[in-house]
Structures are given as C-alpha cells and as structure tokens.
Amino acid sequence: VYRWEPIDEHILGEGSADRREGYDTDEKVRDRAVELLTDEPDLDVLFVSMDDVDATGHDEGFSPDVPEYVAAVERAENMTADILDALGARDQSQETWLVIITSDHGGGGRFLKMHHPSTLIDRNTFMLVTGGSAIQGEMTNDPVIIDVAVMALNHLEVPLPEGEEALDGRNSAFDSTVPPAREPTCEKPIFYYRVNLMAALVGTCCLSICASVIFITVRLRKQRQGRGKLGGMSHPNEDVIPADVGNSHSE
Ligand SMILES: [Zn+2]
C-alpha cells in the first residue's frame, strides 16, 4: 500500500505482490493498511509507504527547526501507531510478525529543502525493528537501509541469493556482531553537477548581461558626447552639454 506512484512503477512492478494499491493521501494508506491487517487472516507481508514527511521536507525544509516538518513526522508517527494497534489486535497465534520501520533518506544537508547531493545528513535515517529474531536494545552496528530487504527475506525464510547476486544488506537487528556493510562506490549524483553547471551558466549569463550593459552605456555616452560636441558647436552658450553628461554619469 503506497502513496508515491514511482514505488509501484520502479520498485514493486508487475507480479511483485498479490496486491499493489496506491492512494492519494497518507491517511487512506493508513486506513487500508489497518483494514488489511484486520480483515485478511492470510496476510504474509504488508509494505506500507507514506509520503507526507518527504513532501513537507521538500516544501518547507528537512529540519527539526521547521515546525511543519516536525508536525508531518508526528502525523506519520501517529498513523504508524494506528497500524501497529491493528497488528496488535490481530490473532497472531499462528504467525510471527517482524516489523521494520524506517525512512529511505534524511535531508537538509547541503540544501534545506532537498536530500541531494547525498551528504551525510541526507543519508542519515533511523531504523526500528521489532519482533522475529530482533535483539532488544540499540543497534550499534551501523544499520543501513539495505539491511531491510535481507532481514525481511530472512524472517520469511526466503533463501538469499549468493555469489555475484549476493545482497549487500546484513541482519543488523538480529546479530549485533555483523561486519560493516560494503561502502557504496556511487558516482557523485548527477544533480550535484547540474547545480554547479547551473551556477556556472547563470554566472556566465550575468557576466554577459553586465558586459552588454557596460558596452551599451559606453556607446550611448559616446553618442551623447558626439551629439553634445555638435550641439556645443552650434549653441556654444547653452547649458546642454554638462546636463547631458551629468545624466549619463548617474546611469
Ligand atoms: Zn524526496
């Protein structure tokens, strides 16, 4: 159950789940999740994605100093509590649920309203894991987002791919001694270059405009001085030349 369309287009996709349902508000996503947990005894996996926190971050800023952002986080927290209440009310005599709550990124690193260009604070997020084989206490083994898939698959007893296909994630909530995850070798985000490129382009445009303005001003002044000289020759006693030159100075 999701709000942000690309989750279905680019992450889930055809055949990935028995049901893929998109809703236009987080409240509807919450309501549907509660409904599924309440009405579907055969439910195996439930993926719930809310979007307001991200949208508010982009609109107002990703920061604890932005009240709108904090309010969006609190709304998401309350809706998550509703979903967990529905899970708690379920007959779990024949099932063991693992609950993983996380965000796919932080934000407000280099730019307040963005999570590009993936600075440390853009990549900083939280992860809460409960149930299944999760160990109680703080995860001090650097949990990372890629651990989510590995823990979910392990909990469902789905064999993990090996060799070349092996996943980078670890059972960070089940095993406090797991080694650190592989450092991703990502290129710098394209957007980072775009911002710099845009700055360079805007800078160049400004320089060109300034150069043109100076050129036009100089030209105008020369023309006026030329006219002034002529005027001066025909009306030597009139005050036209100094007044005109004075105006062009003030421009
Ligand atoms: Zn975003």
Side-chain angles (χ1 to χ4, degrees):
V1 209
Y2 60 86
R3 162 91 178 279
W4 196 52
E5 279 290 329
I7 283 181
D8 186 46
E9 271 171 53
H10 302 296
I11 299 175
L12 300 174
E14 280 303 317
S16 60
D18 296 328
R19 293 183 197 177
R20 294 167 8 241
E21 301 179 12
Y23 295 91
D24 58 1
T25 67
D26 283 0
E27 285 74 13
K28 288 182 194 169
V29 167
R30 182 264 323 264
D31 292 347
R32 184 59 179 145
V34 166
E35 202 171 71
L36 286 166
L37 283 165
T38 309
D39 299 343
E40 297 286 339
D42 295 334
L43 194 64
D44 291 318
V45 179
L46 178 63
F47 170 82
V48 182
S49 168
M50 299 180 190
D51 196 61
D52 272 348
V53 174
D54 182 67
T56 309
H58 286 295
D59 289 343
E60 311 288 344
F62 291 88
S63 164
D65 298 328
V66 174
E68 293 89 344
Y69 185 68
V70 174
V73 171
E74 285 170 353
R75 281 198 305 278
E77 188 181 351
N78 290 333
M79 287 192 279
T80 305
D82 296 338
I83 296 168
L84 290 177
D85 285 346
L87 177 65
R90 205 177 145 83
D91 173 14
Q92 295 190 35
S93 54
Q94 301 297 314
E95 51 190 33
T96 308
W97 283 83
L98 172 72
V99 178
I100 304 174
I101 303 172
T102 190
S103 146
D104 55 345
H105 53 74
R110 186 163 165 151
F111 306 105
L112 182 67
K113 297 182 180 179
M114 288 194 192
H115 39 86
H116 291 288
S118 282
T119 64
L120 199 59
I121 198 151
D122 297 322
R123 283 180 274 142
N124 198 22
T125 178
F126 70 95
M127 190 184 295
L128 302 168
V129 186
T130 181
S133 314
I135 303 167
Q136 204 168 12
E138 187 183 347
M139 295 161 77
T140 52
N141 50 8
D142 255 337
V144 280
I145 193 95
I146 49 175
D147 299 344
V148 170
V150 168
M151 289 189 286
L153 291 170
N154 267 320
H155 181 76
L156 292 164
E157 296 174 357
V158 174
L160 294 175
E162 288 173 4
E164 290 266 293
E165 306 278 285
L167 300 175
D168 287 330
R170 310 147 311 145
N171 288 308
S172 50
F174 308 157
D175 178 2
S176 56
T177 63
V178 289
R182 182 177 65 87
E183 267 291 315
T185 49
C186 307
E187 297 291 315
K188 273 190 179 172
I190 294 165
F191 189 79
Y192 184 82
Y193 288 113
R194 280 201 198 136
V195 167
N196 286 353
L197 185 67
M198 263 154 38
L201 282 174
V202 169
T204 312
C205 287
C206 283
L207 279 178
S208 313
I209 291 166
C210 288
S212 311
V213 168
I214 290 166
F215 176 72
I216 290 166
T217 311
V218 169
R219 247 186 104 139
L220 274 176
R221 195 179 296 170
K222 276 189 176 167
Q223 280 176 352
R224 281 173 183 172
Q225 280 171 348
R227 260 190 282 127
K229 273 176 196 160
L230 286 172
M233 281 161 75
S234 52
H235 307 283
N237 297 325
E238 279 182 30
D239 207 18
V240 174
I241 304 164
D244 200 19
V245 171
N247 278 345
S248 66
H249 272 299
S250 69
E251 283 168 12

